[in-house]
Amino acid sequence: MRDREEIIVVKGLTKRYGPLVAVNSVSFSVGEGEVFGVLGPNGAGKTTTVEILEGMRTPDSGTATVAGIDVVREAAKVKGIIGVQLQTSAFFDGLNLVELLELFGTLYRRKVVGRQLLEQVELADKAKASYKHLSGGQKQRLAIAAALVNNPRVLFLDEPTTGLDPQARRHMWGLIRSLQQEGKTILLTTHYMEEAEELCNRVAIMDMGRVIALDTPAALIDQLLAKGFRNERPPRLANLDDVFLDLTGKSLRED
Amino acid sequence: MYLRNRQALFWALFLPIIIMVIFGLFNFDSAPKVKIRVADQARTPASEAFVGALGQSGIVELTQGDREAALEELKKGGIDMVVVLPPGFGAAGQQPAVEALYHSGRPQSARTGETVVNRVLDEMAFQAAGVERPFKLETRPVEARNLRYIDFLVPGVIAMAIMQMGIFSVAFALIQFRQQGVLRRLKAAPIRPGDFLVGQVITRLLISILQTAALIGMGVVFFGVHVEGSYVTLMTLALVGGALFITIGFVISGYIRTEEVAAPVANVVAMPMMFLSGVFFPRDTLPAFLRTLTDYLPLTYLADGIREVALEGAGFVQVWGDFLGLGVWLVVCFILAARAFRWE
């Protein structure tokens, strides 16, 4: 993506937890407007990398900037311009969703219209509900709405579709695409390869704390085929996911 | 948001009220009566006059029975004293010994009983001898400010309630928020821990103040407690005390990771103060070193302050020492809370 302005620049990022090197001199950059996927098995260092970029953890060495702002030295400033959806987090129970989003707005010193954000993530009908009464997919969409309160240029989504049913997953894909169309840069981690293929302009594959591959999904597949790899069961024109959605419909089932 | 948790609000008020009612029922104020059983072996007009006079003394709960059974009852602890009137009691020319047997474990009742019995016997002797008393004792009540136990108790319980609401509500709520990941999400927002702490203390303080006002109101309405001093001084004390105990709750939630551990720790902090800070009983009965030590407990400052304002009409000037004590604790605890605070 050489034609894009670089908005996230990571250089030699390293983070150790005792003897474990969770992130081992990781470098990459993300262009503005890209959907960038960080893939890898559990424990590969995806979440640690993302949380360093979010200003939530300090690396042992290396640098990272978001929109030119150093994430270590100016963590608070970075937090102000990014939107964050964490892998494990929750929201206050005592408030309804509109109040919750408006409260989050005040954390960024912004006046937000909770209902508008809920409409953007298609949760408007749950405006008066409380967080604990939401389904898994709804909770993830609320987390994204909360990540949008400061109208961020960069969004970090950590496994936004883990645990969702196929309908909710596809719905989330649609939401991510529409956010990209608004011009937002999105850094996404996922365990689902078809999701990465579907959404990401480029992906970085991590293992044992290192980036072991970085390119567009199509280029990575071509590289594999060039090595002579052939899928033992050639893909068919439809898969079980399509069967499931054909039988159960594409509409959301969580209400 | 916290106002929505109506159950929590109710129980925070319910416990102090229950304590006020239960302790209010104990009648600590009237002197207990001495239980005396008379074994009248004389059955003479004189012995009957003795029994009648003793019964009218007002501080004796009088029963009659024979000597042996009465002694048994005394040994069981059912009565405090047995008085035996021997045969020939009151007959002219005789000087029979009146036996007064008392419960060795209750010297106070024994002394009261002995005094009363002696006085009745003296009275009878004067009458028998036809002696006119050379002087007379006149007793008259003087209208004095009537400090009942409940007047002592209610300010103490209000101080205790402020402590409980602060320590328990905050410690548990914060640990829950952290375990659920609510605080983790806040960490991703551009908000400093200190700002978050101050915001939390202020919102919770507003609720604590409302609860305190409700408790004082109930103390005045249902238990007839008079507030001699100004309500402004009283509420200012409640405000500073509330802030302190909320901050103590934050200190606990900062150092303790799980609710299971927080419960005993919060109790270890709160319970000793409840009993050592003179909430239920004056601290005068504590050993001297302990009394000096408990002078410096946070709850002592709050309970003493509230009590002085409510009962003695003390103003800001008289309770400045309590304010100072609370203030010092508040600063120390806030520094601890800020250092111990963790988002995750």
Side-chain angles (χ1 to χ4, degrees), chain A residues 51 56-57 76 79-80 84 86 88-92 94-95 99 104 107-108 146-147, chain B residues 1-2 4 177 180-191 195-196 200 343-344:
Chain A
E51 287 184 352
M56 291 179 68
R57 292 185 196 287
K79 287 174 183 178
V84 171
L86 300 173
T88 50
S89 69
F91 293 89
F92 296 109
L95 298 174
E99 293 166 330
F104 264 83
L107 296 182
Y108 293 84
Chain B
M1 169 161 57
Y2 310 108
R4 301 249 172 100
F177 284 159
Q180 291 165 348
V182 172
L183 295 187
R184 226 178 104 72
R185 180 59 188 83
L186 292 181
K187 187 189 179 187
I191 173 175
D195 294 344
F196 175 75
Q200 285 279 314
W343 292 110
E344 49 191 330

Side-chain angles (χ1 to χ4, degrees), chain A residues 135-200:
Chain A
S135 70
Q138 290 169 334
K139 281 180 179 165
Q140 291 292 23
R141 297 212 303 280
L142 176 74
I144 288 179
L148 295 173
V149 293
N150 56 338
N151 190 25
R153 287 172 69 189
V154 183
L155 267 176
F156 291 89
L157 309 180
D158 200 357
E159 297 190 18
T161 62
T162 296
L164 303 191
D165 68 25
Q167 282 91 354
R169 174 167 300 136
R170 261 148 226 273
H171 191 257
M172 182 64 77
W173 293 355
L175 180 59
I176 291 170
R177 271 192 216 100
S178 74
L179 289 169
Q180 184 183 24
Q181 273 157 22
E182 283 176 31
K184 296 193 189 304
T185 306
I186 297 167
L187 192 148
L188 169 89
T189 75
T190 182
H191 283 302
Y192 303 105
M193 295 309 126
E194 84 274 22
E195 179 168 303
E197 208 177 333
E198 186 82 24
L199 294 174
C200 297

Side-chain angles (χ1 to χ4, degrees), chain A:
Chain A
M1 295 283 140
R2 296 279 158 258
D3 52 330
R4 292 181 201 260
E5 199 72 39
E6 285 179 345
I7 192 161
I8 302 175
V9 180
V10 180
K11 282 185 189 145
L13 215 55
T14 301
K15 176 79 179 177
R16 290 184 191 84
Y17 292 111
L20 176 82
V21 187
V23 177
N24 195 346
S25 56
V26 163
S27 301
F28 61 84
S29 59
V30 179
E32 181 147 29
E34 239 189 320
V35 174
F36 186 88
V38 178
L39 314 180
N42 278 329
K46 305 186 297 288
T47 296
T48 308
T49 304
V50 170
E51 287 184 352
I52 291 170
L53 297 182
E54 290 164 350
M56 291 179 68
R57 292 185 196 287
T58 13
D60 294 319
S61 60
T63 60
T65 58
V66 175
I69 304 165
D70 189 298
V71 300
V72 181
R73 273 179 287 139
E74 296 182 276
K77 207 169 160 194
V78 167
K79 287 174 183 178
I81 61 149
I82 62 173
V84 171
Q85 179 258 122
L86 300 173
Q87 197 183 118
T88 50
S89 69
F91 293 89
F92 296 109
D93 273 338
L95 298 174
N96 70 41
L97 300 192
V98 170
E99 293 166 330
L100 202 56
L101 291 173
E102 287 170 2
L103 172 72
F104 264 83
T106 64
L107 296 182
Y108 293 84
R109 300 185 191 288
R110 277 176 191 251
K111 194 138 181 57
V112 298
V113 182
R115 194 167 280 277
Q116 243 168 39
L117 286 169
L118 287 176
E119 269 161 26
Q120 200 175 350
V121 298
E122 292 178 54
L123 269 180
D125 53 328
K126 291 281 170 189
K128 295 289 172 200
S130 93
Y131 180 72
K132 67 178 164 207
H133 293 127
L134 299 182
S135 70
Q138 290 169 334
K139 281 180 179 165
Q140 291 292 23
R141 297 212 303 280
L142 176 74
I144 288 179
L148 295 173
V149 293
N150 56 338
N151 190 25
R153 287 172 69 189
V154 183
L155 267 176
F156 291 89
L157 309 180
D158 200 357
E159 297 190 18
T161 62
T162 296
L164 303 191
D165 68 25
Q167 282 91 354
R169 174 167 300 136
R170 261 148 226 273
H171 191 257
M172 182 64 77
W173 293 355
L175 180 59
I176 291 170
R177 271 192 216 100
S178 74
L179 289 169
Q180 184 183 24
Q181 273 157 22
E182 283 176 31
K184 296 193 189 304
T185 306
I186 297 167
L187 192 148
L188 169 89
T189 75
T190 182
H191 283 302
Y192 303 105
M193 295 309 126
E194 84 274 22
E195 179 168 303
E197 208 177 333
E198 186 82 24
L199 294 174
C200 297
N201 300 104
R202 289 188 307 146
V203 298
I205 298 176
M206 288 184 74
D207 193 21
M208 320 269 282
R210 291 178 179 277
V211 173
I212 53 174
L214 197 167
D215 214 324
T216 63
L220 289 171
I221 293 167
D222 288 342
Q223 284 161 29
L224 179 67
L225 293 173
K227 282 196 288 185
F229 177 90
R230 291 293 177 272
N231 200 330
E232 284 163 28
R233 284 194 307 164
R236 299 161 72 175
L237 290 175
N239 61 22
L240 196 55
D241 217 28
D242 300 319
V243 175
F244 182 86
L245 289 168
D246 180 57
L247 290 172
T248 58
K250 285 193 174 168
S251 62
L252 284 170
R253 296 300 186 84
E254 48 202 13
D255 297 314

Side-chain angles (χ1 to χ4, degrees), chain B residues 312-331:
Chain B
E312 290 158 31
F316 280 106
V317 181
Q318 286 93 329
V319 292
W320 76 273
D322 296 314
F323 273 114
L324 184 69
L326 290 172
V328 169
W329 272 108
L330 179 59
V331 170

